[in-house]
Amino acid sequence: MTGRPAAPRRPAQYAWFVTGSLALFALGGIAWFWVEDPHWYGFWLGGLIAAAGLVLANVDVFSVAIRKQNIAVVLTEIPLVLAVYYLPPVLVILAATSATLLRQLRSGIGLTKVAFNIAKSAAATSAALLVVAVMPPIEGAGPTTWGILFAAAMTSALVGLLALAAVVTLIQGTQAGQEALRAGLPTLITASVSVAVACVCLVAVEATPWATALLAFLAVALVFAYRYLAGFLRQHRTLADVHELTLAMQEHGNDTSLPDVLLGRVRALMRAEYATMWLPASGRHPELQLTARVDDRGLLDIAPTPAVVRERAIGGQHAVAVGQKLNDDADLRGALRSSRLKDVIVVPLRSGQTTVGSLEVVNRLGGTMTFRPADVQVLQTVAAHVAVAVENSRLVERLRFDAYHDRLTSLPNRRRMTDALAEAVKVRAPGEVVAVILFDVDGLRDVNESMGHAAGDKLLAEVAERLRGIAGPGALVGRIGGDEFVVTLRVESTEETVRLATEMREQLRGSMVVGSLTLDVDTAAGVSLHPDHGDDPDALLRRAEVAANAAKALPYGVQMFHPALESRAARRLGLAADLRRALDAGELEVHFQPKVSIKDRHLIGVECLARWQHPAHGEVAPDDFVAVAEHTGQLDRLTQVVLTAGLRHCREWSDSGRPLSIAVNLSARTLLDPRFPDQVHELLKEYQVPPGQVTFEISEGGMLGEIERALPTLYRLRDLGVRLSVDDFGTGASSLSYLRQLPVHEVKIDDSFVQGMATDSGDLAIVRAVIGLSREFGLTVVAEGVESELTLDLLAELGCEIGQGYFFSRPLPVERLNTWLSAQTEPEETPTGEVRRLRAVG
């Protein structure tokens, strides 16, 4: 934040051009007056008295600072007017020059300024005397004389002001020169008042020389009166400036413009060359160090304050002031001299017991002016307001940050991501699309429930950190839900988006250490695109979520949005109320699909499958209404309906001499209900079905994802005597070694492998491996999806025991199943009793 200089600053040596011109003018005036009055030195005693009066009159009444320059307002017009009236011109010029020289030597300023001030005084006096010379001769102390003396004195004041403006313009630029003129105009008013007082003195002295004593007393009283008035006005102006500064900080203190509002005003208030605000690094806030300098319009990232001075102020938590008239920290003056500084005040910014930074001013403007103890008090008052403004600004910034960022990961939240997307979709670039990639973290609930929310938070923070690292510089990463993260970026095409999403998902996968455990983290990724999938940011995020939900069912875990997904999701949402009514009214049917032993074609049982014929939508896919039941808390009722129907018909078949076992699908959520085994036990007793005739099939992905929590329920079910089966085996991402932990009796190979094994060597290899592994564990193998004689023969060769699929029969209502049993099976005696055997399949 570097300021642009107001104008190019030239070296101070350029002032010699003006000084030389003034000196030549003064010398010319002296020479001319010398020729006019060669015996001027005869009045040398009067010249000494005039010089002494001018020296005494050169005491500052008040001063005006113009950037780095200081204009002193003095009352030299009174002795000057008297000298012009009584003394020869040459002697007046020499007296004025001598008085200025004595005063400049006492001030200790540089040679350039001394020379300029002497030349200015001499030239201004010469100009005043030239005005007197061209006027009518002075006779007496009447009004004509007053006019002549007034013109002369005002000419002197005007020449001095113009000379000052000229040298300031030459060195610091036109604007600074204009400021010098505006600031010097009040001196002309002071000069006119002084001339009037001088004329009164002249009249009094002309009347009686004894009036000199009274006039001297009056002059001293006037000086003190001027000084008192100037001090009062300065104090009033300081209070007004502090009040204005406070109002400005109240108006702008809650935004990032505080330094711009503050520092320029503090520098002007303290009449300092530099005003600095320093805030150390704190949390999200980097170190801030900005300075307003008198010659620059903007702020500079510099700080002229010596480090040792600031360190003492911050360490001691009190103001540190070093300067000629500031004696509290005199041991630090060496640091100022080495830095070529005149004086400095550093006040710590304190919020309660904490120091949040410092406010500093350096170099009081004006060659002879220095900071005083009163200035320290003023800066302390300002610093108290600044500290409050800084804390308020940081509080507002923190609240604004929290409103648009996730507190746990510090990533942008849903509101911030929505706003960013709204801006992104406004800009359309040829050959680019805006991609929204949503990652849904699997297994977060398990971590929270088994290890506590602190572990879950650590997992989310690790996922956020990984996403930051892999997303790239052009992407925006956010967290929009409990386990949902979003990445938005511009990409070249749809294919490139899917490739990026797949790569990012693979890089996110892998083990993460949480506490003492190492967890395998997986995600599902959903993708939506602008403009393909809409312009509304909320719609793009919603469609990415829909795609991510669909991706959970895919082995590769990445799904591009398409309209069918949204219509299916909306349809599922609308089915929730209808499903509840259907369960209440008993409108759901249970169909049964036969299970056949491959070796001897014996019918050994059926799988119970729920079916729903919606009055408006027709047949509803089981995946849809099962998902609705899971998300609306109706899954227990749905499971009970299917299990009750299966047990009732199982009892009926047994009573009619055709005993069949039943298989019922269970959700992982059902296994987490500790009441479920007791409910099964009661139903078995109610329908008098032997537990061995009941098999519960649990999806591999669902069961293995909840294995630790589901194990107690699985063991209780096994202890009841029911059989347990791993459904859809081969589609999950878990280790096959988990089979050793599960109390299961059966493995059911997913139909996607069975249907392809006759034509795909990969599917055949998977089926062979599953059958071999199951034999090692002593498990029965069921193949679902048998649709051809060739598939059946291959399964028989591999040693698969049971088959199920359309090759035997599709799922049938109980009436049609009974008809099928009569038409397609015949009784056959076996050592274990009578069974039903398929007559022919084709």
Side-chain angles (χ1 to χ4, degrees), residues 578-618:
D578 296 338
L579 177 61
R580 182 175 287 104
R581 286 193 296 269
L583 288 170
D584 293 338
E587 294 178 359
L588 265 71
E589 296 183 1
V590 178
H591 289 196
F592 304 89
Q593 187 172 31
K595 297 170 68 175
V596 179
S597 64
I598 294 177
K599 183 177 181 180
D600 49 23
R601 309 293 176 89
H602 288 168
L603 178 64
I604 61 172
V606 293
E607 181 178 2
C608 307
L609 301 168
R611 294 294 184 265
W612 183 20
Q613 190 72 24
H614 193 279
H617 301 297

mmCIF file of all heavy atoms in Angstrom, residues 578-618:
data_model
loop_
_atom_site.group_PDB
_atom_site.id
_atom_site.type_symbol
_atom_site.label_atom_id
_atom_site.label_comp_id
_atom_site.label_asym_id
_atom_site.label_seq_id
_atom_site.Cartn_x
_atom_site.Cartn_y
_atom_site.Cartn_z
ATOM 1 N N ASP A 578 -46.829 -41.704 0.345
ATOM 2 C CA ASP A 578 -47.583 -42.801 -0.269
ATOM 3 C C ASP A 578 -47.154 -44.142 0.300
ATOM 4 O O ASP A 578 -47.991 -45.048 0.469
ATOM 5 C CB ASP A 578 -47.381 -42.789 -1.787
ATOM 6 C CG ASP A 578 -47.938 -41.521 -2.424
ATOM 7 O OD1 ASP A 578 -48.814 -40.892 -1.794
ATOM 8 O OD2 ASP A 578 -47.492 -41.169 -3.533
ATOM 9 N N LEU A 579 -45.858 -44.295 0.595
ATOM 10 C CA LEU A 579 -45.382 -45.560 1.154
ATOM 11 C C LEU A 579 -45.984 -45.804 2.533
ATOM 12 O O LEU A 579 -46.364 -46.943 2.873
ATOM 13 C CB LEU A 579 -43.855 -45.550 1.232
ATOM 14 C CG LEU A 579 -43.209 -46.781 1.863
ATOM 15 C CD1 LEU A 579 -43.544 -48.036 1.057
ATOM 16 C CD2 LEU A 579 -41.692 -46.600 1.971
ATOM 17 N N ARG A 580 -46.080 -44.748 3.332
ATOM 18 C CA ARG A 580 -46.662 -44.909 4.664
ATOM 19 C C ARG A 580 -48.124 -45.360 4.561
ATOM 20 O O ARG A 580 -48.572 -46.259 5.295
ATOM 21 C CB ARG A 580 -46.545 -43.587 5.430
ATOM 22 C CG ARG A 580 -47.073 -43.673 6.854
ATOM 23 C CD ARG A 580 -46.828 -42.381 7.633
ATOM 24 N NE ARG A 580 -45.405 -42.232 7.972
ATOM 25 C CZ ARG A 580 -44.572 -41.408 7.360
ATOM 26 N NH1 ARG A 580 -45.023 -40.638 6.362
ATOM 27 N NH2 ARG A 580 -43.301 -41.338 7.701
ATOM 28 N N ARG A 581 -48.860 -44.763 3.612
ATOM 29 C CA ARG A 581 -50.262 -45.163 3.436
ATOM 30 C C ARG A 581 -50.353 -46.602 2.922
ATOM 31 O O ARG A 581 -51.233 -47.370 3.333
ATOM 32 C CB ARG A 581 -50.953 -44.203 2.463
ATOM 33 C CG ARG A 581 -51.264 -42.832 3.060
ATOM 34 C CD ARG A 581 -52.220 -42.056 2.179
ATOM 35 N NE ARG A 581 -51.613 -41.762 0.877
ATOM 36 C CZ ARG A 581 -50.917 -40.647 0.611
ATOM 37 N NH1 ARG A 581 -50.745 -39.744 1.582
ATOM 38 N NH2 ARG A 581 -50.402 -40.455 -0.590
ATOM 39 N N ALA A 582 -49.409 -46.934 2.021
ATOM 40 C CA ALA A 582 -49.431 -48.300 1.477
ATOM 41 C C ALA A 582 -49.143 -49.328 2.558
ATOM 42 O O ALA A 582 -49.766 -50.406 2.598
ATOM 43 C CB ALA A 582 -48.413 -48.407 0.348
ATOM 44 N N LEU A 583 -48.223 -49.024 3.459
ATOM 45 C CA LEU A 583 -47.935 -49.951 4.562
ATOM 46 C C LEU A 583 -49.128 -50.058 5.508
ATOM 47 O O LEU A 583 -49.450 -51.147 6.008
ATOM 48 C CB LEU A 583 -46.689 -49.484 5.321
ATOM 49 C CG LEU A 583 -45.350 -49.651 4.595
ATOM 50 C CD1 LEU A 583 -44.230 -48.929 5.345
ATOM 51 C CD2 LEU A 583 -45.005 -51.132 4.449
ATOM 52 N N ASP A 584 -49.790 -48.936 5.761
ATOM 53 C CA ASP A 584 -50.956 -48.955 6.638
ATOM 54 C C ASP A 584 -52.098 -49.767 6.027
ATOM 55 O O ASP A 584 -52.831 -50.467 6.746
ATOM 56 C CB ASP A 584 -51.434 -47.534 6.928
ATOM 57 C CG ASP A 584 -50.431 -46.740 7.775
ATOM 58 O OD1 ASP A 584 -49.614 -47.392 8.457
ATOM 59 O OD2 ASP A 584 -50.473 -45.492 7.746
ATOM 60 N N ALA A 585 -52.240 -49.635 4.695
ATOM 61 C CA ALA A 585 -53.365 -50.302 4.016
ATOM 62 C C ALA A 585 -53.017 -51.704 3.551
ATOM 63 O O ALA A 585 -53.884 -52.397 2.973
ATOM 64 C CB ALA A 585 -53.807 -49.447 2.828
ATOM 65 N N GLY A 586 -51.778 -52.147 3.761
ATOM 66 C CA GLY A 586 -51.378 -53.487 3.330
ATOM 67 C C GLY A 586 -51.314 -53.626 1.820
ATOM 68 O O GLY A 586 -51.604 -54.704 1.266
ATOM 69 N N GLU A 587 -50.946 -52.557 1.114
ATOM 70 C CA GLU A 587 -50.931 -52.580 -0.345
ATOM 71 C C GLU A 587 -49.648 -53.186 -0.907
ATOM 72 O O GLU A 587 -49.560 -53.459 -2.101
ATOM 73 C CB GLU A 587 -51.096 -51.150 -0.884
ATOM 74 C CG GLU A 587 -52.464 -50.545 -0.560
ATOM 75 C CD GLU A 587 -52.584 -49.109 -1.049
ATOM 76 O OE1 GLU A 587 -51.590 -48.594 -1.612
ATOM 77 O OE2 GLU A 587 -53.647 -48.501 -0.863
ATOM 78 N N LEU A 588 -48.601 -53.341 -0.083
ATOM 79 C CA LEU A 588 -47.378 -53.947 -0.585
ATOM 80 C C LEU A 588 -47.543 -55.461 -0.687
ATOM 81 O O LEU A 588 -48.122 -56.106 0.209
ATOM 82 C CB LEU A 588 -46.192 -53.623 0.336
ATOM 83 C CG LEU A 588 -45.366 -52.406 -0.089
ATOM 84 C CD1 LEU A 588 -46.166 -51.124 0.154
ATOM 85 C CD2 LEU A 588 -44.054 -52.356 0.685
ATOM 86 N N GLU A 589 -47.063 -56.033 -1.761
ATOM 87 C CA GLU A 589 -47.110 -57.469 -1.965
ATOM 88 C C GLU A 589 -45.731 -58.056 -1.734
ATOM 89 O O GLU A 589 -44.718 -57.364 -1.860
ATOM 90 C CB GLU A 589 -47.583 -57.806 -3.382
ATOM 91 C CG GLU A 589 -49.003 -57.367 -3.691
ATOM 92 C CD GLU A 589 -49.419 -57.795 -5.100
ATOM 93 O OE1 GLU A 589 -48.583 -58.437 -5.789
ATOM 94 O OE2 GLU A 589 -50.549 -57.498 -5.494
ATOM 95 N N VAL A 590 -45.730 -59.353 -1.424
ATOM 96 C CA VAL A 590 -44.471 -60.075 -1.306
ATOM 97 C C VAL A 590 -44.443 -61.149 -2.397
ATOM 98 O O VAL A 590 -45.353 -61.986 -2.469
ATOM 99 C CB VAL A 590 -44.306 -60.712 0.086
ATOM 100 C CG1 VAL A 590 -43.002 -61.503 0.157
ATOM 101 C CG2 VAL A 590 -44.337 -59.648 1.168
ATOM 102 N N HIS A 591 -43.416 -61.062 -3.256
ATOM 103 C CA HIS A 591 -43.216 -62.070 -4.298
ATOM 104 C C HIS A 591 -42.102 -63.004 -3.857
ATOM 105 O O HIS A 591 -41.265 -62.646 -3.005
ATOM 106 C CB HIS A 591 -42.875 -61.408 -5.624
ATOM 107 C CG HIS A 591 -44.042 -60.686 -6.244
ATOM 108 N ND1 HIS A 591 -44.078 -60.299 -7.569
ATOM 109 C CD2 HIS A 591 -45.246 -60.298 -5.723
ATOM 110 C CE1 HIS A 591 -45.221 -59.698 -7.834
ATOM 111 N NE2 HIS A 591 -45.946 -59.674 -6.721
ATOM 112 N N PHE A 592 -42.108 -64.201 -4.481
ATOM 113 C CA PHE A 592 -41.167 -65.235 -4.073
ATOM 114 C C PHE A 592 -40.449 -65.762 -5.300
ATOM 115 O O PHE A 592 -41.080 -66.125 -6.298
ATOM 116 C CB PHE A 592 -41.915 -66.378 -3.357
ATOM 117 C CG PHE A 592 -42.731 -65.909 -2.182
ATOM 118 C CD1 PHE A 592 -44.053 -65.514 -2.353
ATOM 119 C CD2 PHE A 592 -42.180 -65.850 -0.918
ATOM 120 C CE1 PHE A 592 -44.806 -65.075 -1.278
ATOM 121 C CE2 PHE A 592 -42.927 -65.409 0.169
ATOM 122 C CZ PHE A 592 -44.238 -65.012 -0.011
ATOM 123 N N GLN A 593 -39.111 -65.838 -5.226
ATOM 124 C CA GLN A 593 -38.308 -66.375 -6.323
ATOM 125 C C GLN A 593 -37.650 -67.679 -5.855
ATOM 126 O O GLN A 593 -36.945 -67.681 -4.829
ATOM 127 C CB GLN A 593 -37.236 -65.382 -6.783
ATOM 128 C CG GLN A 593 -36.499 -65.856 -8.028
ATOM 129 C CD GLN A 593 -35.572 -64.785 -8.596
ATOM 130 O OE1 GLN A 593 -35.035 -63.979 -7.854
ATOM 131 N NE2 GLN A 593 -35.393 -64.782 -9.916
ATOM 132 N N PRO A 594 -37.833 -68.750 -6.595
ATOM 133 C CA PRO A 594 -37.303 -70.050 -6.172
ATOM 134 C C PRO A 594 -35.780 -70.084 -6.143
ATOM 135 O O PRO A 594 -35.109 -69.438 -6.933
ATOM 136 C CB PRO A 594 -37.846 -71.021 -7.221
ATOM 137 C CG PRO A 594 -39.038 -70.320 -7.810
ATOM 138 C CD PRO A 594 -38.702 -68.862 -7.780
ATOM 139 N N LYS A 595 -35.276 -70.929 -5.212
ATOM 140 C CA LYS A 595 -33.851 -71.218 -5.107
ATOM 141 C C LYS A 595 -33.698 -72.734 -5.283
ATOM 142 O O LYS A 595 -34.363 -73.511 -4.588
ATOM 143 C CB LYS A 595 -33.313 -70.770 -3.753
ATOM 144 C CG LYS A 595 -33.416 -69.254 -3.537
ATOM 145 C CD LYS A 595 -33.103 -68.872 -2.097
ATOM 146 C CE LYS A 595 -31.668 -69.097 -1.740
ATOM 147 N NZ LYS A 595 -31.351 -68.602 -0.370
ATOM 148 N N VAL A 596 -32.797 -73.123 -6.207
ATOM 149 C CA VAL A 596 -32.708 -74.518 -6.646
ATOM 150 C C VAL A 596 -31.297 -75.035 -6.422
ATOM 151 O O VAL A 596 -30.319 -74.327 -6.717
ATOM 152 C CB VAL A 596 -33.103 -74.662 -8.136
ATOM 153 C CG1 VAL A 596 -32.988 -76.110 -8.598
ATOM 154 C CG2 VAL A 596 -34.518 -74.137 -8.356
ATOM 155 N N SER A 597 -31.184 -76.276 -5.922
ATOM 156 C CA SER A 597 -29.866 -76.893 -5.821
ATOM 157 C C SER A 597 -29.400 -77.269 -7.215
ATOM 158 O O SER A 597 -30.135 -77.887 -7.989
ATOM 159 C CB SER A 597 -29.913 -78.119 -4.916
ATOM 160 O OG SER A 597 -30.734 -79.118 -5.476
ATOM 161 N N ILE A 598 -28.190 -76.869 -7.561
ATOM 162 C CA ILE A 598 -27.706 -77.037 -8.929
ATOM 163 C C ILE A 598 -27.439 -78.511 -9.245
ATOM 164 O O ILE A 598 -27.688 -78.971 -10.375
ATOM 165 C CB ILE A 598 -26.438 -76.188 -9.131
ATOM 166 C CG1 ILE A 598 -26.805 -74.701 -9.034
ATOM 167 C CG2 ILE A 598 -25.778 -76.485 -10.471
ATOM 168 C CD1 ILE A 598 -25.621 -73.768 -9.135
ATOM 169 N N LYS A 599 -26.973 -79.259 -8.284
ATOM 170 C CA LYS A 599 -26.568 -80.643 -8.560
ATOM 171 C C LYS A 599 -27.760 -81.522 -8.892
ATOM 172 O O LYS A 599 -27.736 -82.284 -9.886
ATOM 173 C CB LYS A 599 -25.817 -81.189 -7.356
ATOM 174 C CG LYS A 599 -25.292 -82.605 -7.558
ATOM 175 C CD LYS A 599 -24.492 -83.044 -6.328
ATOM 176 C CE LYS A 599 -23.943 -84.454 -6.530
ATOM 177 N NZ LYS A 599 -23.166 -84.917 -5.350
ATOM 178 N N ASP A 600 -28.850 -81.467 -8.088
ATOM 179 C CA ASP A 600 -29.967 -82.400 -8.298
ATOM 180 C C ASP A 600 -31.274 -81.698 -8.616
ATOM 181 O O ASP A 600 -32.321 -82.331 -8.649
ATOM 182 C CB ASP A 600 -30.140 -83.300 -7.075
ATOM 183 C CG ASP A 600 -30.156 -82.501 -5.782
ATOM 184 O OD1 ASP A 600 -30.475 -81.287 -5.847
ATOM 185 O OD2 ASP A 600 -29.847 -83.059 -4.708
ATOM 186 N N ARG A 601 -31.243 -80.386 -8.829
ATOM 187 C CA ARG A 601 -32.420 -79.591 -9.202
ATOM 188 C C ARG A 601 -33.533 -79.670 -8.168
ATOM 189 O O ARG A 601 -34.711 -79.565 -8.496
ATOM 190 C CB ARG A 601 -32.963 -80.029 -10.570
ATOM 191 C CG ARG A 601 -31.939 -80.097 -11.690
ATOM 192 C CD ARG A 601 -31.422 -78.706 -12.047
ATOM 193 N NE ARG A 601 -30.362 -78.756 -13.052
ATOM 194 C CZ ARG A 601 -30.586 -78.720 -14.374
ATOM 195 N NH1 ARG A 601 -31.811 -78.622 -14.823
ATOM 196 N NH2 ARG A 601 -29.576 -78.754 -15.218
ATOM 197 N N HIS A 602 -33.205 -79.810 -6.903
ATOM 198 C CA HIS A 602 -34.213 -79.792 -5.855
ATOM 199 C C HIS A 602 -34.573 -78.344 -5.516
ATOM 200 O O HIS A 602 -33.707 -77.481 -5.412
ATOM 201 C CB HIS A 602 -33.701 -80.490 -4.606
ATOM 202 C CG HIS A 602 -33.615 -81.976 -4.755
ATOM 203 N ND1 HIS A 602 -32.962 -82.793 -3.859
ATOM 204 C CD2 HIS A 602 -34.125 -82.826 -5.712
ATOM 205 C CE1 HIS A 602 -33.040 -84.046 -4.232
ATOM 206 N NE2 HIS A 602 -33.733 -84.080 -5.382
ATOM 207 N N LEU A 603 -35.866 -78.076 -5.347
ATOM 208 C CA LEU A 603 -36.324 -76.762 -4.890
ATOM 209 C C LEU A 603 -36.134 -76.726 -3.370
ATOM 210 O O LEU A 603 -36.797 -77.453 -2.632
ATOM 211 C CB LEU A 603 -37.793 -76.559 -5.261
ATOM 212 C CG LEU A 603 -38.413 -75.239 -4.804
ATOM 213 C CD1 LEU A 603 -37.733 -74.065 -5.477
ATOM 214 C CD2 LEU A 603 -39.920 -75.239 -5.089
ATOM 215 N N ILE A 604 -35.240 -75.833 -2.915
ATOM 216 C CA ILE A 604 -34.920 -75.831 -1.490
ATOM 217 C C ILE A 604 -35.513 -74.638 -0.746
ATOM 218 O O ILE A 604 -35.536 -74.610 0.487
ATOM 219 C CB ILE A 604 -33.397 -75.855 -1.271
ATOM 220 C CG1 ILE A 604 -32.778 -74.600 -1.888
ATOM 221 C CG2 ILE A 604 -32.784 -77.115 -1.864
ATOM 222 C CD1 ILE A 604 -31.309 -74.454 -1.559
ATOM 223 N N GLY A 605 -35.980 -73.647 -1.479
ATOM 224 C CA GLY A 605 -36.548 -72.499 -0.795
ATOM 225 C C GLY A 605 -36.852 -71.374 -1.749
ATOM 226 O O GLY A 605 -36.722 -71.512 -2.978
ATOM 227 N N VAL A 606 -37.263 -70.237 -1.188
ATOM 228 C CA VAL A 606 -37.599 -69.054 -1.980
ATOM 229 C C VAL A 606 -37.031 -67.829 -1.287
ATOM 230 O O VAL A 606 -36.824 -67.813 -0.071
ATOM 231 C CB VAL A 606 -39.125 -68.903 -2.149
ATOM 232 C CG1 VAL A 606 -39.701 -70.020 -2.999
ATOM 233 C CG2 VAL A 606 -39.811 -68.827 -0.791
ATOM 234 N N GLU A 607 -36.768 -66.794 -2.087
ATOM 235 C CA GLU A 607 -36.397 -65.489 -1.536
ATOM 236 C C GLU A 607 -37.618 -64.599 -1.542
ATOM 237 O O GLU A 607 -38.336 -64.503 -2.554
ATOM 238 C CB GLU A 607 -35.269 -64.843 -2.346
ATOM 239 C CG GLU A 607 -34.847 -63.493 -1.781
ATOM 240 C CD GLU A 607 -33.698 -62.852 -2.555
ATOM 241 O OE1 GLU A 607 -33.230 -63.427 -3.555
ATOM 242 O OE2 GLU A 607 -33.282 -61.728 -2.159
ATOM 243 N N CYS A 608 -37.885 -63.943 -0.427
ATOM 244 C CA CYS A 608 -39.041 -63.055 -0.281
ATOM 245 C C CYS A 608 -38.657 -61.654 -0.731
ATOM 246 O O CYS A 608 -37.733 -61.048 -0.176
ATOM 247 C CB CYS A 608 -39.514 -63.033 1.167
ATOM 248 S SG CYS A 608 -39.839 -64.658 1.864
ATOM 249 N N LEU A 609 -39.396 -61.135 -1.698
ATOM 250 C CA LEU A 609 -39.077 -59.831 -2.296
ATOM 251 C C LEU A 609 -40.315 -58.951 -2.287
ATOM 252 O O LEU A 609 -41.386 -59.363 -2.766
ATOM 253 C CB LEU A 609 -38.572 -60.014 -3.730
ATOM 254 C CG LEU A 609 -37.311 -60.885 -3.883
ATOM 255 C CD1 LEU A 609 -37.081 -61.239 -5.335
ATOM 256 C CD2 LEU A 609 -36.106 -60.157 -3.323
ATOM 257 N N ALA A 610 -40.184 -57.726 -1.745
ATOM 258 C CA ALA A 610 -41.312 -56.789 -1.671
ATOM 259 C C ALA A 610 -41.563 -56.164 -3.039
ATOM 260 O O ALA A 610 -40.615 -55.829 -3.777
ATOM 261 C CB ALA A 610 -41.040 -55.714 -0.639
ATOM 262 N N ARG A 611 -42.857 -56.011 -3.356
ATOM 263 C CA ARG A 611 -43.251 -55.338 -4.595
ATOM 264 C C ARG A 611 -44.376 -54.360 -4.280
ATOM 265 O O ARG A 611 -45.219 -54.597 -3.409
ATOM 266 C CB ARG A 611 -43.740 -56.365 -5.642
ATOM 267 C CG ARG A 611 -42.655 -57.302 -6.137
ATOM 268 C CD ARG A 611 -41.596 -56.539 -6.926
ATOM 269 N NE ARG A 611 -40.579 -57.425 -7.500
ATOM 270 C CZ ARG A 611 -39.426 -57.692 -6.929
ATOM 271 N NH1 ARG A 611 -39.143 -57.148 -5.737
ATOM 272 N NH2 ARG A 611 -38.557 -58.477 -7.508
ATOM 273 N N TRP A 612 -44.354 -53.206 -5.028
ATOM 274 C CA TRP A 612 -45.358 -52.162 -4.767
ATOM 275 C C TRP A 612 -45.912 -51.663 -6.083
ATOM 276 O O TRP A 612 -45.174 -51.143 -6.922
ATOM 277 C CB TRP A 612 -44.720 -51.024 -3.973
ATOM 278 C CG TRP A 612 -45.674 -49.923 -3.596
ATOM 279 C CD1 TRP A 612 -47.026 -49.978 -3.534
ATOM 280 C CD2 TRP A 612 -45.312 -48.585 -3.222
ATOM 281 N NE1 TRP A 612 -47.543 -48.788 -3.143
ATOM 282 C CE2 TRP A 612 -46.510 -47.897 -2.940
ATOM 283 C CE3 TRP A 612 -44.113 -47.925 -3.078
ATOM 284 C CZ2 TRP A 612 -46.541 -46.573 -2.551
ATOM 285 C CZ3 TRP A 612 -44.129 -46.611 -2.683
ATOM 286 C CH2 TRP A 612 -45.323 -45.930 -2.418
ATOM 287 N N GLN A 613 -47.206 -51.805 -6.228
ATOM 288 C CA GLN A 613 -47.912 -51.293 -7.396
ATOM 289 C C GLN A 613 -48.580 -49.988 -6.993
ATOM 290 O O GLN A 613 -49.619 -49.972 -6.321
ATOM 291 C CB GLN A 613 -48.954 -52.310 -7.885
ATOM 292 C CG GLN A 613 -49.578 -51.976 -9.231
ATOM 293 C CD GLN A 613 -48.616 -52.172 -10.390
ATOM 294 O OE1 GLN A 613 -47.659 -52.944 -10.284
ATOM 295 N NE2 GLN A 613 -48.857 -51.494 -11.505
ATOM 296 N N HIS A 614 -47.984 -48.870 -7.398
ATOM 297 C CA HIS A 614 -48.498 -47.558 -7.003
ATOM 298 C C HIS A 614 -49.706 -47.217 -7.871
ATOM 299 O O HIS A 614 -49.688 -47.433 -9.092
ATOM 300 C CB HIS A 614 -47.401 -46.497 -7.181
ATOM 301 C CG HIS A 614 -47.702 -45.180 -6.534
ATOM 302 N ND1 HIS A 614 -48.514 -44.234 -7.114
ATOM 303 C CD2 HIS A 614 -47.306 -44.651 -5.341
ATOM 304 C CE1 HIS A 614 -48.599 -43.176 -6.333
ATOM 305 N NE2 HIS A 614 -47.871 -43.399 -5.236
ATOM 306 N N PRO A 615 -50.753 -46.645 -7.269
ATOM 307 C CA PRO A 615 -51.955 -46.355 -8.065
ATOM 308 C C PRO A 615 -51.716 -45.324 -9.158
ATOM 309 O O PRO A 615 -52.432 -45.330 -10.173
ATOM 310 C CB PRO A 615 -52.953 -45.848 -7.020
ATOM 311 C CG PRO A 615 -52.126 -45.430 -5.840
ATOM 312 C CD PRO A 615 -50.929 -46.328 -5.852
ATOM 313 N N ALA A 616 -50.744 -44.435 -8.983
ATOM 314 C CA ALA A 616 -50.483 -43.395 -9.984
ATOM 315 C C ALA A 616 -49.238 -43.679 -10.815
ATOM 316 O O ALA A 616 -49.221 -43.446 -12.026
ATOM 317 C CB ALA A 616 -50.352 -42.031 -9.304
ATOM 318 N N HIS A 617 -48.192 -44.160 -10.175
ATOM 319 C CA HIS A 617 -46.919 -44.357 -10.864
ATOM 320 C C HIS A 617 -46.720 -45.769 -11.394
ATOM 321 O O HIS A 617 -45.718 -46.051 -12.054
ATOM 322 C CB HIS A 617 -45.749 -44.037 -9.911
ATOM 323 C CG HIS A 617 -45.775 -42.635 -9.379
ATOM 324 N ND1 HIS A 617 -45.667 -41.535 -10.189
ATOM 325 C CD2 HIS A 617 -45.927 -42.160 -8.109
ATOM 326 C CE1 HIS A 617 -45.728 -40.428 -9.444
ATOM 327 N NE2 HIS A 617 -45.900 -40.783 -8.180
ATOM 328 N N GLY A 618 -47.634 -46.662 -11.099
ATOM 329 C CA GLY A 618 -47.459 -48.045 -11.532
ATOM 330 C C GLY A 618 -46.480 -48.751 -10.606
ATOM 331 O O GLY A 618 -46.366 -48.428 -9.423
#
